[in-house]
Amino acid sequence: MLNPGQQAPSFELPNHAGETVSLDDFDGRVVVYFYPRADTAGCTTEACGFRDSWGEFEKRGIPVLGISDDPISDLDKFREKHDLPFHLLSDESGAVASAYDSYGEKNMFGNTFDGVFRNTFVVGSDGKIEHVFDDVSPDGHATEILSTLE
């Protein structure tokens, strides 16, 4: 797992609209959160938590980037369905999630497969990781991040 103080891996990924978004596009803090699958129960809870706290993130000037291995079309539908105001990025190969130690072998219902782990990183204006949230609980996660950043 990446640790606070380490350089955050840089990336460029397509967002829900097919536009390229880079970590380097942002000044100041950035929340980078990885989630397994768009429009599933836990991922919807987590995303809607960020949506519901969006005013506070905006007030603090902190963008939120949600990353999964979903295709762009799924991200676009998910974002529209739940009125999500932040970028959802498609990492179909899992390369960026892997660079953040957030991709690998999972086991669910007796099936083994590769997928995205639910982890969150706060990247500082210097490009270094400030905070790591490992194997997070989706419910209340956005509020947890805001509390940590106070």
Side-chain angles (χ1 to χ4, degrees):
M1 180 59 69
L2 295 172
N3 294 307
Q6 287 184 281
Q7 190 68 32
S10 186
F11 59 82
E12 286 187 355
L13 291 170
N15 72 0
H16 51 274
E19 302 162 338
T20 301
V21 174
S22 169
L23 182 60
D24 298 333
D25 292 342
F26 303 94
D27 295 326
R29 286 180 165 152
V30 179
V31 172
V32 179
Y33 85 95
F34 293 89
Y35 64 98
R37 186 72 49 222
D39 216 17
T40 58
C43 296
T44 299
T45 296
E46 186 175 23
C48 288
F50 282 111
R51 178 201 64 204
D52 296 346
S53 298
W54 184 244
E56 192 61 36
F57 282 100
E58 269 195 318
K59 187 167 91 175
R60 297 178 189 199
I62 302 173
V64 174
L65 305 175
I67 301 176
S68 73
D69 60 358
D70 291 304
I72 293 168
S73 60
D74 289 356
L75 298 180
D76 189 43
K77 290 174 193 168
F78 181 48
R79 188 172 185 269
E80 186 173 321
K81 179 178 179 180
H82 298 286
D83 197 27
L84 304 176
F86 48 88
H87 289 286
L88 297 178
L89 307 180
S90 176
D91 180 26
E92 286 192 79
S93 71
V96 172
S98 292
Y100 278 80
D101 296 327
S102 296
Y103 191 85
E105 188 174 287
K106 299 173 84 171
N107 190 341
M108 186 179 295
F109 307 117
N111 296 316
T112 301
F113 57 94
D114 286 338
V116 178
F117 305 135
R118 194 182 305 279
N119 298 327
T120 300
F121 301 86
V122 177
V123 179
S125 58
D126 60 359
K128 293 184 178 176
I129 294 171
E130 289 184 1
H131 301 280
V132 176
F133 301 85
D134 182 28
D135 193 26
V136 303
S137 172
D139 193 27
H141 183 51
T143 304
E144 174 188 25
I145 292 169
L146 288 168
S147 295
T148 300
L149 297 179
E150 286 183 346

